[in-house]
């Protein structure tokens, strides 16, 4: 399982580290862990990239390169792209050398030393990397569709053992593989600011936009068709010609100023791919953006006199072997903390009720997704139990709410509501849980009105489910 072997045993590579102090910022290298000032605190961070602050050009490509000295290239002012240790990747950022605390100890990485035994003998990892014919390696962390496997084969037929950033960028851009290993380009954000309508948003993660659009000061995204531009003039010209005022799909729900649109990924490939590119900026674990044919997309919008503005979306597979009712969910950052995430989750279960099925989101969930679903499951379960007099089973709760029994049990254990009494398990809601539910009930929040849903479950033929 691990990358190395136990002390005293031959085998895998060993990585040594050294702790020292430095006096100049030019001595810091990629892979170094140093201390930087962040929000009035001093935090340890790993340096992922270094660039010239004035020219915005990378001046060091790998940890083994020799640092460029100021004497050779004039007065350099450094900027470091850092990942704060034990913090989420969405906080990664470029920091100036003025924020580096050189008075603190610095941890330097060293080259990995591979020990060979018997000449031709190979390590177990090297043997696992061998393939019978194609030369590509499929791992558990990179789920592959036929399309992505074909792209991977094309990108990795080279027998060279060196890592190529160019090939990796091309793989991320074509196959949709978004594995987040420590050697991938996807560790760094490639966009600074996204402008959508009246909002400017800072991306959280890497997204495989084409190279000519990445690393621009501002990426302009049309909020109706989701086309993207790196130039303000081009974007303004497009907005004058764009005739879309809502997502290109069927409106299946409308109440007050909220609407839902259903979009078939096979019929609207460009829009759905643009949507996935945009969502990858805010979802670390999204794995596919290119292959949108097997999915239906449900877009949540807010209407005004100019049109229907996208708030968020969720996608679901047309045919799910595990009966998942949701594959990916996102509320755009400018609309977060307004209750729209709960609206998206509730709407996915309303569709499950219309289908007469139990629903559950695709696992594993992201950190924010798990928090949202755990809260929703708890609220739904408590709503059914408060004021109920009599006996009810987990299966009966499941049929009433369209939640799976596993999700209901997860919610009950999270509420600490399972008790063992007189030889059997009982559901007991504490006063704290009931009081929290009453506070939630008295708050004003958005809810889906099932009477406003105009939708019938789709039945797809074998020809429509053929994605080659």
């Amino acid at each position: 399982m691990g990358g190395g072997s136990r002390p005293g045993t031959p085998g895998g590579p060993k990585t040594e580290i050294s702790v020292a102090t430095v006096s100049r910022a030019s001595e810091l290298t990629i892979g170094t862990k140093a201390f930087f000032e962040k929000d009035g605190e001093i935090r340890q961070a790993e340096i992922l990239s270094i660039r010239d602050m004035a020219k915005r050009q990378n001046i060091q490509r790998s940890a083994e390169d020799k640092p460029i000295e100021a004497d050779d290239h004039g007065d350099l002012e450094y900027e470091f792209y850092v990942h704060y240790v034990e913090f989420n990747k969405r906080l990664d950022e470029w920091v100036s050398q003025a924020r580096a605390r050189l008075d603190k100890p610095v941890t330097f990485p060293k080259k990995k030393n591979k020990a060979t035994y018997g000449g031709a003998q190979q390590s177990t990892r090297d043997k696992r990397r061998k393939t019978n014919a194609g030369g590509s390696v499929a791992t558990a962390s990179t789920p592959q569709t036929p399309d992505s496997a074909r792209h991977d084969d094309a990108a990795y037929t080279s027998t060279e053992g060196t890592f190529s950033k160019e090939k990796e960028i091309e793989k991320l851009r074509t196959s949709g593989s978004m594995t987040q290993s420590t050697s991938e380009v996807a560790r760094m954000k490639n966009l600074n600011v996204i402008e959508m309508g009246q909002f400017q948003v800072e991306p959280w993660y890497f997204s495989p936009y084409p190279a000519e659009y990445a690393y621009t000061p501002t990426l302009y995204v049309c909020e109706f068709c989701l086309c993207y531009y790196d130039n303000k003039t081009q974007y303004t010209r497009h907005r004058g010609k764009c005739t879309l005022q809502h997502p290109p799909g069927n409106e299946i729900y409308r109440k007050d100023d909220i609407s839902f649109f259903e979009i078939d990924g096979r019929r609207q490939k460009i829009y759905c791919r643009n949507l996935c590119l945009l969502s990858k900026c805010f979802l670390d674990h999204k794995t596919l953006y290119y292959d949108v044919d097997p999915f239906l997309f449900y877009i949540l919008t807010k209407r005004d006199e100019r049109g229907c503005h996208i708030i968020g979306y969720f996608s679901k597979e047309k045919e799910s072997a595990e009966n998942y009712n949701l594959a990916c969910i996102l509320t755009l950052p400018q609309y977060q903390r307004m209750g729209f995430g709960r609206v998206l989750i509730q709407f996915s279960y309303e569709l499950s009720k219309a289908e007469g099925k139990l629903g559950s989101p695709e696992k594993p969930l992201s950190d924010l997704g798990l928090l949202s679903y755990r809260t929703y499951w708890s609220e739904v379960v408590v709503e059914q139990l408060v004021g109920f007099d009599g006996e009810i089973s987990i299966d009966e709760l499941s049929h009433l709410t369209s939640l799976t029994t596993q999700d209901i049990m997860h919610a009950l254990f999270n509420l600490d509501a399972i008790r063992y009494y007189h030889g059997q398990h009982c559901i007991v809601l504490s006063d704290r849980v009931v009081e929290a539910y009453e506070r939630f009930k008295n708050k004003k929040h958005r809810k889906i009105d099932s009477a406003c849903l105009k939708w019938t479950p789709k039945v797809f033929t074998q020809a429509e489910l053929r994605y080659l």
Side-chain angles (χ1 to χ4, degrees):
M1 291 289 293
S5 53
R6 292 178 297 176
T9 60
K14 299 179 181 179
T15 303
E16 298 179 358
I17 60 174
S18 62
V19 180
T21 57
V22 298
S23 58
R24 296 179 301 167
S26 60
E27 298 179 40
L28 298 177
T29 63
I30 293 176
T32 298
K33 290 184 179 180
F35 287 87
F36 295 85
E37 294 181 358
K38 170 70 172 176
D39 298 332
E41 299 180 359
I42 301 176
R43 298 177 181 174
Q44 189 181 36
E46 179 185 358
I47 299 175
L48 303 182
S49 184
I50 307 173
R51 70 182 182 186
D52 182 358
M53 192 172 182
K55 298 180 180 179
R56 296 295 177 92
Q57 294 178 349
N58 289 348
I59 59 176
Q60 188 176 15
R61 298 185 62 86
S62 67
E64 287 76 17
D65 291 338
K66 181 181 178 181
I68 296 180
E69 300 294 342
D71 297 339
D72 301 330
H73 295 267
D75 294 331
L76 289 179
E77 189 171 357
Y78 294 92
E79 245 185 348
F80 304 96
Y81 189 86
V82 299
H83 166 68
Y84 296 102
V85 177
E86 297 182 356
F87 284 85
N88 192 279
K89 282 177 55 180
R90 68 174 66 97
L91 298 178
D92 295 1
E93 61 179 348
W94 286 100
V95 299
S96 64
Q97 68 180 45
R99 291 170 56 182
R101 294 297 301 268
L102 302 181
D103 57 322
K104 300 287 185 179
V106 175
T107 304
F108 288 96
K110 287 189 176 181
K111 291 183 179 181
K112 296 180 179 180
N113 299 318
K114 287 189 177 181
T116 57
Y117 298 89
Q121 184 179 358
Q122 291 180 314
S123 66
T124 305
R125 176 179 296 179
D126 293 334
K127 292 179 181 178
R128 285 201 302 265
R129 287 182 179 272
K130 279 192 173 183
T131 55
N132 294 331
S136 65
V137 181
T139 67
S141 60
T142 53
Q144 297 187 351
T145 61
D147 282 345
S148 63
R150 185 161 55 250
H151 285 299
D152 287 347
D153 290 344
Y156 290 92
T157 51
S158 173
T159 57
E160 297 178 0
T162 58
F163 172 76
S164 168
K165 285 193 176 183
E166 290 75 14
K167 289 182 181 180
E168 187 64 26
I169 292 175
E170 185 63 22
K171 178 190 174 186
L172 292 171
R173 193 164 288 118
T174 55
S175 70
S177 175
M178 283 293 147
T179 56
Q180 304 290 315
S181 70
T182 57
S183 61
E184 288 181 354
V185 183
R187 293 194 75 192
M188 290 178 51
K189 291 183 286 190
N190 58 337
L191 298 174
N192 296 318
V193 176
I194 295 177
E195 182 173 314
M196 289 185 64
Q198 59 180 333
F199 299 102
Q200 284 193 339
V201 185
E202 182 181 347
W204 296 348
Y205 306 110
F206 173 92
S207 182
Y209 278 97
E212 57 269 24
Y213 296 95
Y215 305 105
T216 58
T218 303
L219 183 71
Y220 301 92
V221 178
C222 177
E223 58 183 333
F224 295 110
C225 68
L226 303 185
C227 291
Y228 44 89
Y229 301 89
D230 61 348
N231 184 280
K232 180 72 171 180
T233 304
Q234 294 176 351
Y235 171 72
T236 304
R237 187 184 301 119
H238 165 80
R239 287 299 307 128
K241 296 180 179 180
C242 184
T243 59
L244 273 182
Q245 292 184 324
H246 59 77
N250 299 323
E251 186 177 14
I252 61 175
Y253 179 89
R254 175 183 289 192
K255 185 177 181 182
D256 300 330
D257 59 343
I258 296 298
S259 293
F260 270 94
F261 290 83
E262 181 184 58
I263 300 178
D264 190 333
R266 188 172 191 178
R267 299 191 178 204
Q268 298 290 342
K269 290 186 179 181
I270 295 179
Y271 180 89
C272 294
R273 288 174 182 172
N274 289 343
L275 177 62
C276 292
L277 282 172
L278 178 64
S279 65
K280 182 62 189 74
C281 294
F282 311 105
L283 296 173
D284 188 21
H285 300 289
K286 186 171 178 61
T287 55
L288 291 175
Y289 93 94
Y290 187 81
D291 187 15
V292 296
D293 288 15
F295 297 93
L296 293 170
F297 295 81
Y298 295 89
I299 316 298
L300 172 61
T301 64
K302 190 173 185 178
R303 296 191 319 276
D304 60 16
E305 64 279 358
R306 295 192 300 113
C308 297
H309 308 271
I310 180 172
I311 295 174
Y313 84 101
F314 71 88
S315 61
K316 62 181 293 188
E317 290 182 282
K318 296 176 182 177
E319 288 291 333
S320 174
E322 295 83 4
N323 289 325
Y324 291 138
N325 68 349
L326 184 144
C328 180
I329 184 172
L330 172 70
T331 303
L332 292 176
Q334 59 266 35
Y335 294 105
Q336 290 182 359
R337 303 187 67 84
M338 298 182 185
F340 291 116
R342 189 183 190 280
V343 171
L344 288 166
I345 295 173
Q346 185 181 2
F347 192 79
S348 69
Y349 281 103
E350 288 295 332
L351 297 184
S352 296
K353 291 178 182 178
E355 293 176 309
K357 299 179 180 178
L358 303 180
S360 183
E362 186 175 318
K363 311 298 191 304
L365 292 167
S366 65
D367 51 353
L368 296 180
L370 178 60
L371 289 174
S372 300
Y373 265 97
R374 184 181 291 164
T375 302
Y376 177 79
W377 291 334
S378 301
E379 291 170 355
V380 170
V381 171
V382 173
E383 183 179 11
Q384 294 291 330
L385 295 177
V386 168
F388 181 84
D389 187 14
E391 294 185 357
I392 188 171
S393 66
I394 299 298
D395 288 333
E396 290 172 335
L397 271 177
S398 179
H399 288 293
L400 287 173
T401 60
S402 288
L403 306 180
T404 62
T405 55
Q406 293 84 356
D407 294 340
I408 292 176
M409 292 299 297
H410 180 94
L412 291 174
F413 278 111
N414 184 55
L415 294 171
D416 194 21
I418 301 295
R419 297 287 188 271
Y420 191 73
Y421 182 71
H422 284 188
Q424 63 179 353
H425 288 91
C426 303
I427 301 175
V428 179
L429 298 181
S430 64
D431 294 338
R432 177 183 57 84
V433 172
V434 175
E435 291 172 1
Y437 172 74
E438 292 297 334
R439 289 195 299 269
F440 165 78
K441 189 177 178 181
N442 293 330
K443 289 182 180 179
K444 184 180 179 181
H445 56 273
R446 299 178 184 270
K447 294 185 66 175
I448 294 296
D449 186 354
S450 57
C452 297
L453 176 62
K454 309 299 180 184
W455 180 79
T456 54
K458 290 182 176 293
V459 178
F460 296 96
T461 64
Q462 289 296 326
E464 291 174 318
L465 295 176
R466 192 173 295 121
Y467 310 119
L468 300 180

